[in-house]
Amino acid sequence: MTQSASVPFLPFVRPEIDEETIQGVVDVLRSGWITTGPQNQAFEAALSAYCGGRPVRTFNSGTATLEIGLRLAGVSPGDEVITTPASWVSTSNVIYEVGATPVFADIDPVTRNIDLDKLEAAITPKTKAIIPVFLAGLPVDMDRLYAIARQHKLRVVEDAAQAFGASWNGKRIGAIGDIVSFSFHANKNLTSIEGGALVLNDEAEAVLAQKYRLQGITRTGIDGMDCDVLGGKYNLTDVAARVGLGQLKHIERFTAQRRALARRYFAQFEGGAAVKLGMGLPVADFDNCNWHMFQITLPLEQLSIDRAGFMEQLKERGIGSGVHYPAIHLFTLYRERGFKAGMFPLAERLGKTTVTLPLFTQMTDADVERVCDAVNEICAQYAK
Ligand SMILES: *Cc1c(COP(=O)(O)O)cnc(C)c1O
């Protein structure tokens, strides 16, 4: 079966921007103040209210927020930071950026997040911080994570890039924890086109975050200025902040719709050819997870095509898909720094078999059914 001309291509992700937001952006462009200003203040205030009143500062990416988060946690050359190899490479690149050393702990193959037993085993006297990643918006066991952090006196910089709208036992991600890093990249559940935010512990930390965000500058009075820390250039434009504000109004609906679509995926896949062949499904969590992505793992040993072939077959049927993510430690930069295949076999296996299927708010149940039918059909056609 090939794509019929009447069925539009279904991408794996597509942002939903309403007309009110588009008009709001036009108003910002006409206002005479287009970079960091009143829209950012409003966005920070709204994010802070969402995160239980904790201080929030916006940044121009979720990579900047992770890097500044590590600086705020006091991570410096010689320190080790423990994280997962199953993430976007940003998560560990920032550890090198601040001069520290990434230490990976393999994943739990069920949750696909860092295995907290392995995390604990990886702690050394040099460990300064932990970066847990909430892959696809599924939080790790936050009670256990923070028990480990407290016991070993470690800072936590949560890579919650994918977890805006997610929660842990009724508490919002961002409203709890140590330093929390969000990304508002175009593909995330809440977008400002590009952007990010840090949720912080107190005003002193927020003031320092603000310095790191813009050249270490503090202004006093109408003409006073000093620079007392080495900051960078990480501020968010007001155009971007206005997009984020427009999105934030809908976050509860976005999350509810994603959860409903995820439920539909499970129902539709049940008992089908793909599952019978051993296709892996994510954890069916509809309380904590914000369903940033719906990711299957392919039963490649049972198929006569590889993952690229499988994705091509989906594409021929008018369906987009993605890979999130190849194991970080197998990238050239990381191999050059001593990492090898076989070190984190579960993350490696996930990285080789994972496929992200379409999931975004404007999808319909019929779209989900079309995707599931295509996956089952391809699996049946190429079963060994
Ligand atoms: C998107 C993402 C980042 C980086 O965010 P950017 O805004 O793209 O810089 C970091 N970690 C994870 C897990 C992400 O998904």
Side-chain angles (χ1 to χ4, degrees), residues 322-342:
V323 171
H324 307 90
Y325 300 94
I328 293 173
H329 66 286
L330 300 183
F331 287 135
T332 301
L333 177 80
Y334 287 80
R335 286 179 187 266
E336 283 172 359
R337 293 174 185 220
F339 294 101
K340 291 183 184 67

Side-chain angles (χ1 to χ4, degrees), residues 59-67 90-91 94 159 161 181-185 194-197:
F59 290 80
N60 60 6
S61 77
T63 303
T65 50
L66 285 173
E67 184 182 325
S90 167
T91 306
V94 294
D159 184 349
S181 167
F182 290 119
S183 165
F184 305 135
H185 172 266
E194 298 282 357

Side-chain angles (χ1 to χ4, degrees), residues 148-180:
I148 295 170
R150 266 193 306 274
Q151 191 192 335
H152 297 273
K153 297 189 167 47
L154 303 176
R155 294 298 301 267
V156 179
V157 178
E158 297 177 22
D159 184 349
Q162 303 183 359
F164 200 90
S167 54
W168 175 250
N169 293 343
K171 295 186 191 103
R172 286 175 179 161
I173 295 300
I176 52 171
D178 189 352
I179 294 173
V180 184

Side-chain angles (χ1 to χ4, degrees), residues 82-86 104-122 130-133 140-141 144-145 148 344 346-347:
I82 303 174
T83 192
T84 167
F104 294 110
D106 208 349
I107 58 167
D108 169 340
V110 175
T111 64
R112 303 165 180 173
N113 282 326
I114 194 164
D115 180 325
L116 295 178
D117 288 330
K118 290 177 184 155
L119 184 159
E120 196 163 23
I130 309 167
I131 307 183
V133 176
V140 299
D141 179 335
R144 173 97 202 278
L145 171 76
I148 295 170
F344 310 103
L346 299 170

